[in-house]
Amino acid sequence: MLRARMGDAYTPGLTVTGNAVVRKLRRLPLPGEVLAKVGQKVTASDVVARTELPGRVHLLNFSNLLGVLPDEIAGKLRVEPGAAIREGDILAESKSLFGLLTSRVKAPITGTFESVSEVTGQAVMREPPTPVEVTAYMDGQVVEEIPTEGAIIETRGALIQGIFGLSGEVYAPIVMVSDDPGQVLSPGDLDEATCRGKVVVGGSLATVEVMRRAIDIGVAAVVVGGFAYQDIRELLGYDVGVAVTGTENLGTTLVVTEGFGQIAMAGATFALLREHEGEHASVNGATQIRAGVIRPEVVIPNPPGREAAARADQPGAGGLEIGAKVRCIRAPHFGRIGEVTQLPTDLMEMPSETRVRVLEVTFGQRDAAIIPRANVEVIER
């Protein structure tokens, strides 16, 4: 199944913690101007770097349009190379038949007249550049400046990583719309007055109808335990690749914390989000599971003057150990969260006849399973 293939690509290390140091590289797509300075305090909306993307190029063959040789074009130009032009401006003019006939070339765009070749007769025009600004994304401090490229922003606060997401970065207050991490959201749970412009936290499932309602009323983001994989195509109108998401133009970002299907949000995750209700969060649905893992996330920086206390259940070095919280990332237990109760040292033969290292995971008082270690990821809390 496709669901299993997507799960196969994830690696151990999903983080859910109330006390994390988060660093984000904010980089321009092209060299430009870096505005942020080391030590500077920034808010999520502050612009830390800017550049301009070159405009689209347009070509016209002046030689053909004017009926002259390429090396004769220079004497026919009405504008100099490098000059600004507006759509409809006369760029060149040629007269023939003793001045009775006039051929003119008009600008097809507004932009810049860059050059014309005396060999081919081809003229180059370029549309205006597109300004690009990179914001800090989260409240924090600039800890490193990368000349002409960007900056690294650092903050301390809560970090919740999800397993799948859609659409890009938003920054908005958190509002809880579920009282139970196992609650299935319905469109009626989203009240426009309460949810517009907010990061809405639900329970075990958001349907495609819920997402459409969220988009219609202007919800900034939906954070929920599960989402049906088949609903992604219905929501977007096309299939997403299994490798990268985050560029979808939804209008509302989606972060799925547990997996595909109806899966109750982990109790600790739900409690952590409830603890920060009303506070601003930086949310990103971008997911990459090839060539380096990027997880969808919710980052909740500490408000000024408040330092997060280390959580009692936060592990030191992390890793697989007795008592560690883990999430199953492959079928048949995909998305389930449990606790490691045994770590056998001997290899065990699987139905595929391969011999692998395994562990025992307990999902409840009487619900346990022997699972290959490669089929789980540690939940750092």
Side-chain angles (χ1 to χ4, degrees):
M1 293 177 61
L2 184 55
R3 179 196 306 178
R5 290 204 302 271
M6 295 187 72
D8 289 346
Y10 286 93
T11 56
L14 192 74
T15 300
V16 177
T17 176
N19 183 33
V21 175
V22 183
R23 286 191 168 197
K24 293 295 176 183
L25 171 60
R26 310 300 289 163
R27 173 171 281 166
L28 293 166
L30 291 174
E33 178 187 9
V34 178
L35 307 177
K37 303 299 179 184
V38 173
Q40 178 183 344
K41 299 285 187 181
V42 293
T43 63
S45 59
D46 286 344
V47 177
V48 298
R50 65 162 61 103
T51 189
E52 291 184 337
L53 295 179
R56 180 184 172 191
V57 170
H58 294 256
L59 301 177
L60 280 181
N61 194 306
F62 275 27
S63 181
N64 292 341
L65 293 171
L66 295 173
V68 299
L69 296 174
D71 58 4
E72 297 175 337
I73 294 175
K76 313 296 181 181
L77 294 178
R78 299 278 295 271
V79 297
E80 295 295 326
I85 57 175
R86 292 182 301 177
E87 185 177 354
D89 286 352
I90 297 176
L91 304 180
E93 184 178 82
S94 174
K95 294 183 181 295
S96 59
L97 289 179
F98 307 101
L100 296 177
L101 296 179
T102 302
S103 299
R104 294 186 177 94
V105 178
K106 294 184 178 181
I109 62 164
T110 295
T112 303
F113 178 68
E114 292 198 341
S115 65
V116 61
S117 171
E118 294 184 356
V119 177
T120 65
Q122 199 85 302
V124 179
M125 290 150 284
R126 189 182 296 273
E127 294 180 4
T130 302
V132 175
E133 294 183 337
V134 173
T135 64
Y137 170 59
M138 60 186 188
D139 298 345
Q141 183 173 351
V142 180
V143 294
E144 184 178 340
E145 178 185 345
I146 306 173
T148 74
E149 293 187 29
I152 295 177
I153 312 300
E154 179 181 285
T155 193
R156 179 179 288 274
L159 171 63
I160 297 162
Q161 291 181 322
I163 196 168
F164 180 78
L166 293 171
S167 208
E169 300 172 354
V170 295
Y171 178 72
I174 295 172
V175 60
M176 306 294 293
V177 295
S178 296
D179 296 323
D180 187 325
Q183 178 180 336
V184 176
L185 284 182
S186 68
D189 293 325
L190 304 185
D191 174 67
E192 183 172 0
T194 304
C195 299
R196 174 180 287 275
K198 303 293 177 58
V199 176
V200 170
V201 179
S204 62
L205 180 69
T207 62
V208 68
E209 291 77 19
V210 168
M211 285 301 298
R212 286 172 176 162
R213 167 68 176 169
I215 294 167
D216 287 344
I217 67 174
V219 170
V222 173
V223 182
V224 70
F227 193 78
Y229 182 75
Q230 61 269 21
D231 283 351
I232 298 174
R233 178 178 176 81
E234 185 175 349
L235 179 64
L236 299 178
Y238 58 88
D239 290 321
V240 298
V242 297
V244 179
T245 71
T247 59
E248 300 79 19
N249 188 22
L250 277 180
T252 297
T253 294
L254 172 68
V255 173
V256 178
T257 64
E258 313 304 323
F260 294 108
Q262 183 178 337
I263 309 175
M265 185 180 294
T269 303
F270 191 81
L272 182 58
L273 288 165
R274 181 185 291 280
E275 178 183 333
H276 291 277
E277 184 172 13
E279 298 179 21
H280 277 72
S282 298
V283 182
N284 190 359
T287 309
Q288 179 173 303
I289 56 178
R290 291 180 182 171
V293 173
I294 297 175
R295 297 184 182 276
E297 64 183 8
V298 180
V299 181
I300 312 169
N302 291 332
R306 188 186 81 186
E307 292 296 328
R311 298 175 68 87
D313 57 347
Q314 185 178 356
L320 286 174
E321 57 187 18
I322 302 296
K325 294 289 185 183
V326 294
R327 181 196 313 274
C328 298
I329 58 175
R330 292 176 176 85
H333 301 286
F334 179 77
R336 300 188 71 186
I337 293 175
E339 181 177 313
V340 177
T341 49
Q342 289 188 41
L343 287 170
T345 56
D346 296 335
L347 299 178
M348 180 176 292
E349 185 172 324
M350 295 288 102
S352 61
E353 299 184 357
T354 58
R355 295 178 60 81
V356 299
R357 297 179 68 84
V358 299
L359 48 75
E360 182 183 77
V361 178
T362 299
F363 302 107
Q365 292 184 349
R366 298 183 179 180
D367 186 5
I370 301 296
I371 300 172
R373 297 190 186 188
N375 289 9
V376 301
E377 62 181 359
V378 178
I379 301 177
E380 302 171 24
R381 300 192 186 276

